[in-house]
Every structure is written in C-alpha cells, then in structure tokens.
C-alpha cells in the first residue's frame, strides 16, 4: 500500500491527497508484485535448501524486490503522464523517466553490494523478477488477447 500511495501522490494538492489509481496500472503493478513475491519465495527456498540462507539473503531480496516493483510502478506512472503530452514532450519525459529509474536501480544495486548486511546476489537477482513476470504475461492474459483479436476481426 505504501508503494501505491507513494506512486500516486498528488503533489499539487499536498501530501495528504492521493490521486485515484488508474485501474490498469493497479492491475499490472499488482501482477508484477505477485510474481516478485512468488519468485522471491522460490529463491529463498532454494537458498535455504542449499544451506546458505541467512538474514542477508532475506534483506537483499526485500531490497531488490521492492526496488523492482517500485521501478515498474514509476514506469507506468511516467507513461501515463507522457500520454497526456505532445509527441516530443512525451519522448523527452519517457527518456528522463527511464534514466532516473535506471539510476535508482543502480543505486539500489550499489547499496546491496556495499552494505554487508545485504546479500548482493539476492539484491541483483530480485531486480530481474519483473522481467520474468512480463515474459509470462501472455500466458496469463489470454482473456484480453481474445477480446483484442475479436475486435480486429470485426
């Protein structure tokens, strides 16, 4: 909930005002969050059964997973804001968003590598979980694909 509130804070109306969350962004960010949690549990289990688990593994996984989901949500928010702009401003806005988000992920990776209480590998691996979720998106999104293909045939 904190991430959703952070991502959709209406800065013009003050810190206590939250914009209505776009249902598509909420659905897709929830999808990414669920996959990130599931893959995190799998990674935790594998490391546990290898006998290498410690608190750093959990903390690294939490740091990387939270950053990955936040990155995806900020990407969605940036795209939604860019749609309202003209083409040149939209391109600039998306490029700036991508650059800032990559710096954020680089900072998270650096923090995970520098601070000894994070497991560097779990931080880095967790950052890729949304990519895995996006790869499997077509398998779980068949109902929307069927509607789109029916619209094309009409």
């Amino acid at each position: 909930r904190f991430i959703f509130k952070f991502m959709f804070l209406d800065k013009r109306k003050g810190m206590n005002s939250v914009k209505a969350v776009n249902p598509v962004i909420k659905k897709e960010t929830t999808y990414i969050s669920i996959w990130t949690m599931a893959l995190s549990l799998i990674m935790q289990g594998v490391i546990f059964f290898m006998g290498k688990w410690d608190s750093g593994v959990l903390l690294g996984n939490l740091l990387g997973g939270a950053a990955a989901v936040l990155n995806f949500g900020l990407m969605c928010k940036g795209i939604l804001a860019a749609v309202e702009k003209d083409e040149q401003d939209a391109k600039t806005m998306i490029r700036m968003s991508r650059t800032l988000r990559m710096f954020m992920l680089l900072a998270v990776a650096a923090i995970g590598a520098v601070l000894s209480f994070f497991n560097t590998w779990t931080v880095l691996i967790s950052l890729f979980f949304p990519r895995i979720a996006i790869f499997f998106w077509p398998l779980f999104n068949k109902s929307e694909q069927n509607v789109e293909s029916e619209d094309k045939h009409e």
Side-chain angles (χ1 to χ4, degrees):
R1 287 185 177 232
F2 171 75
I3 291 175
F4 281 124
K5 285 184 179 181
F6 173 75
M7 289 186 322
F8 302 104
L9 214 58
D10 190 348
K11 291 169 183 63
R12 293 168 290 180
K13 295 180 181 177
M15 293 299 283
N16 294 328
S17 177
V18 177
K19 287 183 185 180
V21 177
N22 183 311
V24 174
I25 292 177
K26 186 175 182 178
K27 176 186 172 190
E28 292 182 3
T29 306
T30 302
Y31 171 83
I32 295 296
S33 299
I34 290 169
W35 267 90
T36 299
M37 285 187 281
L39 292 170
S40 294
L41 287 172
I42 292 169
M43 182 171 63
Q44 293 290 316
V46 167
I47 293 171
F48 177 79
F49 286 116
M50 288 173 44
K52 304 285 184 179
W53 195 92
D54 62 3
S55 62
V57 170
L58 178 62
L59 292 173
N61 193 198
L62 289 173
L63 176 66
V69 172
L70 179 62
N71 177 52
F72 183 82
L74 291 173
M75 178 192 66
C76 291
K77 184 180 177 184
I79 290 170
L80 189 63
V83 168
E84 299 171 358
K85 307 283 184 189
D86 63 43
E87 185 178 348
Q88 189 58 38
D89 288 343
K91 285 181 181 178
T92 303
M93 186 177 218
I94 287 175
R95 262 190 233 115
M96 181 62 72
S97 170
R98 183 183 328 135
T99 301
L100 293 173
R101 288 182 298 103
M102 290 304 115
F103 278 128
M104 176 191 74
L105 293 178
L106 182 64
V108 166
I111 289 169
V114 170
L115 298 179
S116 63
F117 54 87
F118 291 115
N119 181 298
T120 305
W121 288 108
T122 57
V123 173
L124 297 176
I125 292 169
S126 298
L127 293 175
F128 291 99
F129 289 166
R131 298 260 183 209
I132 296 167
I134 291 167
F135 178 78
F136 286 108
W137 179 262
L139 295 175
F140 298 98
N141 200 23
K142 289 184 180 185
S143 62
E144 288 181 22
Q145 288 176 351
N146 291 338
V147 171
E148 289 174 8
S149 65
E150 288 173 8
D151 290 342
K152 289 178 185 177
H153 294 297
E154 291 179 2

